[in-house]
Protein backbone atom coordinates (compact mmCIF):
# COMPACT_ATOMS: atom_id res chain seq x y z
CA UNK A 1 0.00 0.00 0.00
CA UNK A 2 1.30 3.46 -0.90
CA UNK A 3 2.47 5.59 2.01
CA UNK A 4 0.96 9.02 2.51
CA UNK A 5 2.99 12.20 2.12
CA UNK A 6 4.30 14.50 -0.58
CA UNK A 7 6.24 12.76 -3.32
CA UNK A 8 9.54 14.07 -4.66
CA UNK A 9 11.68 13.13 -7.62
CA UNK A 10 14.67 11.24 -6.20
CA UNK A 11 17.88 9.78 -7.54
CA UNK A 12 19.69 7.18 -5.45
CA UNK A 13 22.74 5.26 -6.57
CA UNK A 14 26.35 4.17 -6.37
CA UNK A 15 29.12 5.12 -8.79
CA UNK A 16 32.88 4.94 -9.32
CA UNK A 17 33.25 8.20 -7.34
CA UNK A 18 32.70 6.50 -3.97
CA UNK A 19 32.58 2.76 -4.74
CA UNK A 20 35.34 0.56 -6.11
CA UNK A 21 34.71 -2.06 -8.80
CA UNK A 22 34.01 -4.83 -6.28
CA UNK A 23 31.41 -2.78 -4.39
CA UNK A 24 29.80 -1.54 -7.62
CA UNK A 25 29.55 -5.18 -8.63
CA UNK A 26 27.47 -5.89 -5.52
CA UNK A 27 24.97 -3.20 -6.52
CA UNK A 28 24.96 -4.11 -10.21
CA UNK A 29 21.48 -5.14 -11.41
CA UNK A 30 21.14 -7.62 -14.30
CA UNK A 31 18.70 -6.99 -17.16
CA UNK A 32 16.31 -9.58 -15.75
CA UNK A 33 16.45 -8.04 -12.30
CA UNK A 34 15.96 -4.55 -13.69
CA UNK A 35 12.62 -5.68 -15.12
CA UNK A 36 11.77 -7.43 -11.84
CA UNK A 37 12.70 -4.30 -9.85
CA UNK A 38 10.42 -2.08 -11.96
CA UNK A 39 7.57 -4.57 -11.62
CA UNK A 40 8.05 -4.71 -7.83
CA UNK A 41 8.12 -0.90 -7.72
CA UNK A 42 4.65 -0.79 -9.32
CA UNK A 43 3.37 -3.33 -6.80
CA UNK A 44 4.71 -1.13 -3.97
CA UNK A 45 2.88 1.92 -5.32
CA UNK A 46 5.81 3.62 -7.07
CA UNK A 47 4.31 4.60 -10.40
CA UNK A 48 7.17 6.43 -12.09
CA UNK A 49 10.69 4.97 -11.98
CA UNK A 50 13.61 3.76 -14.13
CA UNK A 51 17.03 2.25 -13.44
CA UNK A 52 20.45 2.45 -15.12
CA UNK A 53 23.08 -0.18 -14.32
CA UNK A 54 26.50 0.01 -16.04
CA UNK A 55 30.11 -0.83 -15.23
CA UNK A 56 30.55 2.60 -13.61
CA UNK A 57 27.23 3.12 -11.84
CA UNK A 58 23.84 1.85 -10.75
CA UNK A 59 21.27 4.65 -10.49
CA UNK A 60 17.54 4.70 -9.79
CA UNK A 61 15.41 7.74 -10.68
CA UNK A 62 11.82 7.85 -9.49
CA UNK A 63 9.06 9.41 -7.43
CA UNK A 64 8.65 8.52 -3.76
CA UNK A 65 7.86 10.27 -0.50
CA UNK A 66 11.10 8.92 1.01
CA UNK A 67 14.32 7.85 -0.74
CA UNK A 68 14.58 4.74 1.44
CA UNK A 69 11.79 3.16 -0.65
CA UNK A 70 14.07 3.28 -3.70
CA UNK A 71 17.08 2.13 -1.67
CA UNK A 72 15.15 -0.92 -0.44
CA UNK A 73 14.27 -1.80 -4.04
CA UNK A 74 17.92 -1.60 -5.10
CA UNK A 75 19.06 -3.82 -2.22
CA UNK A 76 16.25 -6.33 -2.87
CA UNK A 77 17.38 -6.84 -6.47
CA UNK A 78 21.16 -6.67 -6.05
CA UNK A 79 23.63 -8.27 -3.67
CA UNK A 80 24.32 -5.07 -1.74
CA UNK A 81 22.98 -4.22 1.71
CA UNK A 82 21.47 -1.00 3.05
CA UNK A 83 24.46 -0.59 5.38
CA UNK A 84 26.90 -0.91 2.45
CA UNK A 85 24.79 1.47 0.37
CA UNK A 86 24.78 4.15 3.07
CA UNK A 87 28.59 4.12 3.17
CA UNK A 88 29.05 4.83 -0.57
CA UNK A 89 25.76 6.25 -1.80
CA UNK A 90 24.65 9.45 -3.45
CA UNK A 91 21.09 10.71 -2.96
CA UNK A 92 19.66 13.63 -4.95
CA UNK A 93 16.24 15.25 -4.74
CA UNK A 94 14.13 17.24 -7.22
CA UNK A 95 16.34 19.84 -9.01
CA UNK A 96 19.56 18.12 -7.84
CA UNK A 97 18.29 14.81 -9.25
CA UNK A 98 17.39 16.53 -12.54
CA UNK A 99 20.86 18.11 -12.78
CA UNK A 100 22.51 14.76 -12.00
CA UNK A 101 20.67 13.04 -14.86
CA UNK A 102 21.70 15.81 -17.28
CA UNK A 103 25.34 15.38 -16.23
CA UNK A 104 25.15 11.60 -16.65
CA UNK A 105 23.49 11.83 -20.07
CA UNK A 106 26.04 14.30 -21.46
CA UNK A 107 29.15 12.39 -20.40
CA UNK A 108 30.19 14.79 -17.60
CA UNK A 109 29.77 12.05 -14.98
CA UNK A 110 31.47 9.29 -17.00
CA UNK A 111 34.56 7.74 -15.43
CA UNK A 112 36.39 8.65 -18.64
CA UNK A 113 35.16 12.20 -19.34
CA UNK A 114 32.97 12.36 -22.43
CA UNK A 115 32.47 8.59 -22.75
CA UNK A 116 29.10 8.45 -24.51
CA UNK A 117 28.33 4.74 -24.12
CA UNK A 118 26.06 5.84 -21.25
CA UNK A 119 23.67 7.50 -23.76
CA UNK A 120 22.73 4.17 -25.36
CA UNK A 121 22.36 2.63 -21.90
CA UNK A 122 20.08 5.48 -20.82
CA UNK A 123 17.90 4.95 -23.90
CA UNK A 124 17.64 1.22 -23.17
CA UNK A 125 16.77 1.85 -19.51
CA UNK A 126 14.03 4.29 -20.45
CA UNK A 127 12.71 1.93 -23.15
CA UNK A 128 12.43 -0.92 -20.62
CA UNK A 129 10.62 1.30 -18.11
CA UNK A 130 8.22 2.49 -20.80
CA UNK A 131 7.49 -1.09 -21.88
CA UNK A 132 6.68 -1.99 -18.26
CA UNK A 133 4.64 1.22 -17.87
CA UNK A 134 6.69 2.68 -15.04
CA UNK A 135 7.15 6.11 -16.64
CA UNK A 136 4.95 9.19 -16.70
CA UNK A 137 4.92 12.52 -18.59
CA UNK A 138 7.50 14.00 -16.16
CA UNK A 139 10.14 11.31 -16.69
CA UNK A 140 9.43 11.06 -20.42
CA UNK A 141 9.88 14.81 -20.91
CA UNK A 142 12.99 14.87 -18.69
CA UNK A 143 14.74 11.99 -20.47
CA UNK A 144 13.93 13.52 -23.86
CA UNK A 145 15.42 16.87 -22.76
CA UNK A 146 18.54 15.06 -21.49
CA UNK A 147 18.94 13.19 -24.78
CA UNK A 148 18.54 16.44 -26.74
CA UNK A 149 21.22 18.08 -24.57
CA UNK A 150 23.45 15.03 -25.05
CA UNK A 151 23.12 15.23 -28.83
CA UNK A 152 24.04 18.92 -28.84
CA UNK A 153 27.03 18.38 -26.54
CA UNK A 154 28.27 15.60 -28.82
CA UNK A 155 27.75 17.60 -32.03
CA UNK A 156 28.58 21.14 -30.90
CA UNK A 157 31.51 20.57 -28.50
CA UNK A 158 34.70 18.52 -28.43
CA UNK A 159 33.75 16.74 -25.21
CA UNK A 160 33.84 13.41 -27.06
CA UNK A 161 36.80 14.29 -29.30
CA UNK A 162 39.31 11.56 -29.98
CA UNK A 163 38.70 7.96 -29.01
CA UNK A 164 38.58 7.42 -25.27
CA UNK A 165 36.49 4.69 -23.63
CA UNK A 166 37.13 1.67 -21.44
CA UNK A 167 37.52 -0.57 -24.51
CA UNK A 168 39.97 1.94 -26.02
CA UNK A 169 41.82 2.21 -22.70
CA UNK A 170 42.17 -1.60 -22.61
CA UNK A 171 43.92 -1.66 -25.98
CA UNK A 172 46.11 1.31 -25.02
CA UNK A 173 47.08 -0.52 -21.82
CA UNK A 174 48.23 -3.52 -23.88
CA UNK A 175 50.22 -1.28 -26.25
CA UNK A 176 51.95 0.59 -23.39
CA UNK A 177 52.72 -2.43 -21.22
CA UNK A 178 53.60 -5.16 -23.75
CA UNK A 179 56.48 -4.16 -26.07
CA UNK A 180 55.82 -7.13 -28.39
CA UNK A 181 52.00 -6.85 -28.28
CA UNK A 182 51.61 -7.50 -32.02
CA UNK A 183 52.96 -11.05 -31.62
CA UNK A 184 50.93 -11.95 -28.51
CA UNK A 185 48.00 -14.38 -28.54
CA UNK A 186 44.94 -12.34 -27.51
CA UNK A 187 41.62 -13.86 -26.43
CA UNK A 188 38.49 -11.72 -26.29
CA UNK A 189 35.78 -13.42 -24.22
CA UNK A 190 32.32 -11.87 -24.62
CA UNK A 191 30.79 -10.05 -27.58
CA UNK A 192 28.54 -7.44 -26.04
CA UNK A 193 28.98 -3.77 -26.92
CA UNK A 194 32.26 -3.59 -24.98
CA UNK A 195 33.64 -6.75 -26.63
CA UNK A 196 32.79 -5.47 -30.12
CA UNK A 197 34.46 -2.11 -29.44
CA UNK A 198 37.55 -3.90 -28.07
CA UNK A 199 37.88 -6.05 -31.19
CA UNK A 200 37.50 -2.98 -33.42
CA UNK A 201 40.09 -1.04 -31.39
CA UNK A 202 42.52 -3.99 -31.61
CA UNK A 203 42.10 -3.96 -35.40
CA UNK A 204 42.52 -0.18 -35.60
CA UNK A 205 45.42 0.43 -33.21
CA UNK A 206 47.48 -2.79 -33.56
CA UNK A 207 48.69 -5.09 -36.32
CA UNK A 208 48.01 -8.19 -34.21
CA UNK A 209 46.60 -11.03 -36.34
CA UNK A 210 46.35 -13.53 -33.46
CA UNK A 211 43.06 -12.45 -31.88
CA UNK A 212 40.57 -15.17 -30.92
CA UNK A 213 36.95 -14.57 -29.99
CA UNK A 214 34.61 -16.63 -27.81
CA UNK A 215 30.98 -15.82 -27.11
CA UNK A 216 28.25 -18.02 -25.63
CA UNK A 217 25.93 -17.23 -28.56
CA UNK A 218 27.80 -18.60 -31.58
CA UNK A 219 25.52 -16.89 -34.11
CA UNK A 220 26.77 -13.50 -32.93
CA UNK A 221 30.38 -14.64 -33.23
CA UNK A 222 29.79 -15.97 -36.76
CA UNK A 223 28.27 -12.69 -37.92
CA UNK A 224 31.04 -10.61 -36.34
CA UNK A 225 33.93 -12.75 -37.65
CA UNK A 226 32.41 -12.63 -41.16
CA UNK A 227 32.82 -8.83 -41.06
CA UNK A 228 36.25 -8.93 -39.35
CA UNK A 229 38.32 -11.55 -41.13
CA UNK A 230 41.45 -10.97 -39.01
CA UNK A 231 39.69 -12.40 -35.92
CA UNK A 232 39.49 -16.16 -35.34
CA UNK A 233 36.32 -17.71 -33.94
CA UNK A 234 36.49 -20.23 -31.10
CA UNK A 235 33.77 -21.89 -29.01
CA UNK A 236 32.88 -21.89 -25.32
CA UNK A 237 33.77 -25.60 -25.02
CA UNK A 238 37.41 -24.69 -25.81
CA UNK A 239 37.59 -21.90 -23.21
CA UNK A 240 40.20 -23.52 -20.94
CA UNK A 241 42.35 -24.44 -23.92
CA UNK A 242 42.10 -20.92 -25.39
CA UNK A 243 42.91 -19.33 -22.00
CA UNK A 244 45.98 -21.57 -21.70
CA UNK A 245 47.12 -20.50 -25.16
CA UNK A 246 46.52 -16.78 -24.60
CA UNK A 247 49.06 -14.19 -23.45
CA UNK A 248 46.34 -11.56 -23.06
CA UNK A 249 42.71 -12.26 -22.08
CA UNK A 250 40.09 -9.52 -22.36
CA UNK A 251 36.88 -10.41 -20.53
CA UNK A 252 33.60 -8.56 -21.16
CA UNK A 253 30.99 -11.26 -20.61
CA UNK A 254 28.44 -9.30 -18.56
CA UNK A 255 27.56 -12.29 -16.34
CA UNK A 256 26.40 -12.08 -12.71
CA UNK A 257 29.23 -14.34 -11.51
CA UNK A 258 32.89 -14.81 -12.54
CA UNK A 259 33.29 -16.54 -15.90
CA UNK A 260 37.09 -16.87 -15.60
CA UNK A 261 38.45 -18.54 -12.45
CA UNK A 262 41.68 -20.06 -11.19
CA UNK A 263 40.65 -23.41 -12.75
CA UNK A 264 40.80 -21.88 -16.23
CA UNK A 265 44.34 -20.52 -15.80
CA UNK A 266 46.27 -23.78 -15.67
CA UNK A 267 49.57 -22.77 -17.33
CA UNK A 268 52.13 -20.98 -15.18
CA UNK A 269 53.19 -18.32 -17.67
CA UNK A 270 53.03 -14.56 -18.03
CA UNK A 271 49.34 -13.79 -18.63
CA UNK A 272 47.65 -10.40 -18.62
CA UNK A 273 43.91 -10.42 -17.89
CA UNK A 274 41.82 -7.31 -18.48
CA UNK A 275 38.36 -7.43 -16.89
CA UNK A 276 35.98 -4.93 -18.54
CA UNK A 277 32.87 -6.41 -16.90
CA UNK A 278 30.59 -5.20 -14.13
CA UNK A 279 30.13 -7.02 -11.86
CA UNK A 280 33.69 -8.27 -12.24
CA UNK A 281 33.75 -11.48 -14.30
CA UNK A 282 37.26 -12.58 -13.37
CA UNK A 283 37.64 -14.23 -9.96
CA UNK A 284 40.35 -12.76 -7.73
CA UNK A 285 41.81 -16.24 -7.16
CA UNK A 286 43.46 -16.11 -10.63
CA UNK A 287 46.15 -13.98 -8.95
CA UNK A 288 47.20 -17.05 -6.97
CA UNK A 289 48.59 -18.47 -10.21
CA UNK A 290 52.19 -17.49 -10.82
CA UNK A 291 52.68 -15.02 -13.69
CA UNK A 292 49.06 -13.81 -13.86
CA UNK A 293 48.31 -10.09 -13.61
CA UNK A 294 44.75 -8.72 -13.45
CA UNK A 295 43.55 -5.23 -14.37
CA UNK A 296 39.95 -4.06 -13.82
CA UNK A 297 37.76 -1.20 -15.08
CA UNK A 298 38.92 1.29 -12.43
CA UNK A 299 42.59 0.85 -13.29
CA UNK A 300 41.90 1.13 -17.02
CA UNK A 301 39.92 4.32 -16.52
CA UNK A 302 42.98 6.06 -15.06
CA UNK A 303 44.63 5.99 -18.48
CA UNK A 304 44.73 9.52 -19.86
CA UNK A 305 46.09 11.12 -23.00
CA UNK A 306 45.95 14.51 -24.68
CA UNK A 307 42.35 13.92 -25.82
CA UNK A 308 41.24 14.18 -22.17
CA UNK A 309 43.01 17.55 -21.84
CA UNK A 310 41.03 18.79 -24.84
CA UNK A 311 37.83 17.47 -23.30
CA UNK A 312 38.43 19.28 -19.99
CA UNK A 313 38.37 22.61 -21.84
CA UNK A 314 34.95 21.78 -23.28
CA UNK A 315 33.20 21.36 -19.91
CA UNK A 316 31.96 25.01 -19.68
CA UNK A 317 30.38 24.77 -23.15
CA UNK A 318 28.69 21.49 -22.20
CA UNK A 319 27.33 23.09 -19.02
CA UNK A 320 25.85 25.99 -21.01
CA UNK A 321 23.99 23.53 -23.23
CA UNK A 322 22.75 21.64 -20.16
CA UNK A 323 21.45 24.86 -18.58
CA UNK A 324 19.48 25.69 -21.75
CA UNK A 325 17.74 22.32 -21.86
CA UNK A 326 17.25 22.21 -18.10
CA UNK A 327 15.56 25.63 -18.23
CA UNK A 328 13.31 24.35 -21.02
CA UNK A 329 12.30 21.36 -18.87
CA UNK A 330 11.68 23.51 -15.78
CA UNK A 331 9.57 25.93 -17.82
CA UNK A 332 7.43 22.99 -18.95
CA UNK A 333 7.33 21.68 -15.38
CA UNK A 334 6.16 24.99 -13.92
CA UNK A 335 3.55 25.42 -16.63
CA UNK A 336 2.32 21.91 -15.96
CA UNK A 337 2.01 22.66 -12.25
CA UNK A 338 -0.10 25.80 -12.59
CA UNK A 339 -2.19 24.91 -15.67
CA UNK A 340 -4.98 23.22 -13.62
CA UNK A 341 -5.20 26.25 -11.29
CA UNK A 342 -5.35 28.71 -14.21
CA UNK A 343 -8.03 26.57 -15.87
CA UNK A 344 -10.05 26.57 -12.63
CA UNK A 345 -9.58 30.36 -12.30
CA UNK A 346 -10.80 30.89 -15.86
CA UNK A 347 -13.81 28.66 -15.25
CA UNK A 348 -14.73 30.62 -12.10
CA UNK A 349 -14.44 33.93 -13.96
CA UNK A 350 -16.62 32.57 -16.78
CA UNK A 351 -19.35 31.71 -14.24
CA UNK A 352 -19.15 35.26 -12.79
CA UNK A 353 -19.30 36.72 -16.34
CA UNK A 354 -22.34 34.63 -17.28
CA UNK A 355 -24.21 35.58 -14.08
CA UNK A 356 -23.40 39.28 -14.55
CA UNK A 357 -24.49 39.34 -18.23
CA UNK A 358 -27.78 37.62 -17.32
CA UNK A 359 -28.32 40.19 -14.52
CA UNK A 360 -27.62 43.18 -16.80
CA UNK A 361 -29.90 41.79 -19.56
CA UNK A 362 -32.85 41.97 -17.17
CA UNK A 363 -31.90 45.39 -15.87
CA UNK A 364 -30.86 47.36 -19.00
CA UNK A 365 -33.16 47.99 -21.99
CA UNK A 366 -31.53 47.21 -25.38
CA UNK A 367 -28.58 45.61 -23.61
CA UNK A 368 -25.88 44.68 -26.17
CA UNK A 369 -25.10 41.12 -25.10
CA UNK A 370 -22.56 40.49 -27.90
CA UNK A 371 -20.54 43.58 -27.00
CA UNK A 372 -20.63 42.65 -23.31
CA UNK A 373 -19.45 39.11 -24.19
CA UNK A 374 -16.45 40.46 -26.17
CA UNK A 375 -15.53 42.96 -23.46
CA UNK A 376 -15.74 40.58 -20.51
CA UNK A 377 -13.91 37.79 -22.40
CA UNK A 378 -10.99 40.18 -22.99
CA UNK A 379 -10.98 41.05 -19.28
CA UNK A 380 -10.83 37.36 -18.36
CA UNK A 381 -8.00 36.75 -20.84
CA UNK A 382 -5.98 39.67 -19.44
CA UNK A 383 -6.54 38.58 -15.83
CA UNK A 384 -5.47 34.97 -16.50
CA UNK A 385 -2.44 36.16 -18.53
CA UNK A 386 -1.32 38.30 -15.57
CA UNK A 387 -1.64 35.30 -13.24
CA UNK A 388 0.43 33.16 -15.62
CA UNK A 389 3.17 35.86 -15.67
CA UNK A 390 3.04 36.02 -11.88
CA UNK A 391 3.41 32.22 -11.55
CA UNK A 392 6.30 32.14 -14.05
CA UNK A 393 8.28 34.65 -12.01
CA UNK A 394 11.26 32.83 -10.46
CA UNK A 395 10.66 34.52 -7.09
CA UNK A 396 7.06 33.34 -6.95
CA UNK A 397 5.98 30.47 -4.75
CA UNK A 398 3.77 28.55 -7.16
CA UNK A 399 2.15 26.42 -4.45
CA UNK A 400 1.22 29.47 -2.32
CA UNK A 401 -0.14 31.37 -5.34
CA UNK A 402 -2.26 28.43 -6.44
CA UNK A 403 -3.60 28.13 -2.90
CA UNK A 404 -4.66 31.82 -2.96
CA UNK A 405 -6.39 31.40 -6.35
CA UNK A 406 -8.25 28.35 -5.05
CA UNK A 407 -9.35 30.15 -1.85
CA UNK A 408 -10.55 33.31 -3.60
CA UNK A 409 -12.23 31.86 -6.68
CA UNK A 410 -13.24 28.32 -5.75
CA UNK A 411 -14.71 28.82 -2.32
Amino acid sequence: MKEQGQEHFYNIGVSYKKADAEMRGKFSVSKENQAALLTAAKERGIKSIFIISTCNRTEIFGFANRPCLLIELLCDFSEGTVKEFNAICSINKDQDAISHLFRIGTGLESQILGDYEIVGQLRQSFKLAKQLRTTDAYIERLVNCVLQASKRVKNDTKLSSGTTSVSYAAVQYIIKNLPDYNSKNILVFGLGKMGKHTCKNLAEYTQNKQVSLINRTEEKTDAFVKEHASIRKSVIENLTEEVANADVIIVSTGADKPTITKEHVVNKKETLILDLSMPENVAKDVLEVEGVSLVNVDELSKITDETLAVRQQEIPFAKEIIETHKAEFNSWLNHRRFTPAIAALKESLEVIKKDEINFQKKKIINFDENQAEILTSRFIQKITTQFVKHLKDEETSVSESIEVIQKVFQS
Side-chain angles (χ1 to χ4, degrees):
M1 186 176 173
K2 194 166 185 175
E3 294 185 32
Q4 298 301 309
Q6 186 182 2
E7 287 192 336
H8 292 276
F9 183 60
Y10 283 106
N11 151 249
I12 63 101
V14 299
S15 77
Y16 69 93
K17 290 191 172 181
K18 294 182 183 178
D20 60 20
E22 184 178 355
M23 188 56 73
R24 294 201 306 277
K26 283 191 174 184
F27 286 97
S28 180
V29 182
S30 66
K31 291 293 180 190
E32 293 78 14
N33 275 358
Q34 286 176 38
L37 183 151
L38 296 178
T39 302
K42 274 202 297 189
E43 291 168 357
R44 298 179 193 185
I46 299 170
K47 294 176 182 174
S48 189
I49 183 175
F50 71 97
I51 176 173
I52 307 170
S53 190
T54 74
C55 60
N56 289 330
R57 65 183 66 254
T58 297
E59 310 262 4
I60 293 178
F61 291 86
F63 282 91
N65 39 42
R66 290 182 295 117
C68 62
L69 300 176
L70 304 182
I71 296 167
E72 286 166 8
L73 272 169
L74 176 58
C75 294
D76 285 348
F77 290 91
S78 70
E79 294 183 359
T81 66
V82 173
K83 185 178 179 181
E84 287 170 328
F85 178 85
N86 289 335
I88 54 165
C89 69
S90 66
I91 299 174
N92 296 294
K93 177 181 173 184
D94 295 331
Q95 286 298 315
D96 289 337
I98 290 167
S99 296
H100 186 60
L101 184 58
F102 269 100
R103 287 180 60 83
I104 288 174
T106 52
L108 290 181
E109 286 290 313
S110 297
Q111 192 166 19
I112 296 178
L113 179 65
D115 186 347
Y116 274 84
E117 286 183 13
I118 186 69
V119 179
Q121 292 156 338
L122 174 57
R123 280 199 184 93
Q124 288 301 314
S125 297
F126 176 66
K127 185 180 177 183
L128 176 64
K130 201 166 180 184
Q131 283 172 350
L132 295 173
R133 298 184 179 181
T134 63
T135 62
D136 61 1
Y138 182 107
I139 281 183
E140 186 156 348
R141 184 82 177 210
L142 175 58
V143 171
N144 283 335
C145 284
V146 169
L147 292 175
Q148 286 168 20
S150 177
K151 188 176 181 180
R152 277 194 60 201
V153 168
K154 191 168 177 64
N155 293 338
D156 300 350
T157 76
K158 295 177 183 175
L159 194 70
S160 60
S161 64
T163 309
T164 303
S165 63
V166 173
S167 52
Y168 170 79
V171 175
Q172 292 303 307
Y173 186 93
I174 293 168
I175 292 170
K176 288 176 183 177
N177 290 277
L178 300 176
D180 51 350
Y181 60 87
N182 279 325
S183 62
K184 296 292 186 184
N185 291 322
I186 299 176
L187 170 64
V188 177
F189 182 26
L191 194 58
K193 196 171 183 181
M194 197 82 77
K196 285 179 182 177
H197 285 171
T198 302
C199 288
K200 288 174 183 177
N201 284 327
L202 282 168
E204 186 172 348
Y205 297 104
T206 77
Q207 284 76 51
N208 192 302
K209 304 300 179 189
Q210 294 158 203
V211 179
S212 302
L213 175 63
I214 293 179
N215 190 59
R216 289 190 184 279
T217 310
E218 281 192 55
E219 291 79 8
K220 285 185 179 179
T221 316
D222 291 334
F224 190 80
V225 169
K226 196 176 285 185
E227 291 179 16
H228 302 81
S230 62
I231 296 173
R232 179 178 65 86
K233 174 198 167 184
S234 188
V235 292
I236 193 75
E237 290 77 15
N238 296 343
L239 180 61
T240 302
E241 182 186 327
E242 292 288 353
V243 167
N245 188 48
D247 303 299
V248 179
I249 304 161
I250 303 171
V251 182
S252 59
T253 41
D256 293 334
K257 303 291 181 187
T259 52
I260 296 290
T261 64
K262 184 180 176 181
E263 283 67 38
H264 292 105
V265 190
V266 289
N267 284 12
K268 291 184 179 179
K269 65 168 189 171
E270 292 295 319
T271 307
L272 171 63
I273 304 178
L274 305 176
D275 188 357
L276 314 188
S277 311
M278 184 56 56
E280 292 171 299
N281 280 187
V282 180
K284 290 284 193 291
D285 63 5
V286 299
L287 291 171
E288 295 171 13
V289 179
E290 188 181 334
V292 171
S293 54
L294 174 62
V295 177
N296 67 11
V297 168
D298 286 351
E299 290 173 74
L300 289 172
S301 296
K302 291 172 187 172
I303 294 175
T304 58
D305 55 23
E306 56 268 17
T307 63
L308 286 180
V310 172
R311 292 180 181 196
Q312 289 283 352
Q313 296 170 4
E314 297 296 301
I315 292 174
F317 304 113
K319 285 182 175 177
E320 282 179 23
I321 290 171
I322 287 172
E323 286 307 313
T324 300
H325 288 274
K326 198 164 71 171
E328 180 190 318
F329 174 73
N330 281 324
S331 175
W332 172 84
L333 190 59
N334 277 333
H335 190 269
R336 182 171 176 252
R337 286 171 65 195
F338 59 66
T339 295
I342 292 298
L345 168 63
K346 202 167 184 177
E347 190 180 328
S348 297
L349 292 173
E350 288 287 348
V351 171
I352 294 170
K353 179 187 84 170
K354 187 179 177 182
D355 288 346
E356 190 60 28
I357 287 176
N358 286 336
F359 176 75
Q360 296 300 337
K361 272 166 62 178
K362 294 172 186 174
K363 198 172 180 183
I364 299 172
I365 299 169
N366 298 324
F367 177 71
D368 191 337
E369 188 175 344
N370 288 336
Q371 195 62 37
E373 179 74 37
I374 292 168
L375 189 64
T376 50
S377 292
R378 282 179 61 82
F379 269 121
I380 289 172
Q381 187 58 47
K382 285 181 180 293
I383 290 168
T384 52
T385 299
Q386 285 302 116
F387 267 104
V388 169
K389 284 181 181 176
H390 164 73
L391 291 170
K392 280 185 175 178
D393 190 315
E394 288 182 5
E395 301 300 316
T396 299
S397 168
V398 175
S399 57
E400 287 178 14
S401 298
I402 289 173
E403 195 177 330
V404 169
I405 292 170
Q406 289 171 337
K407 279 182 179 177
V408 173
F409 292 98
Q410 296 172 47
S411 55

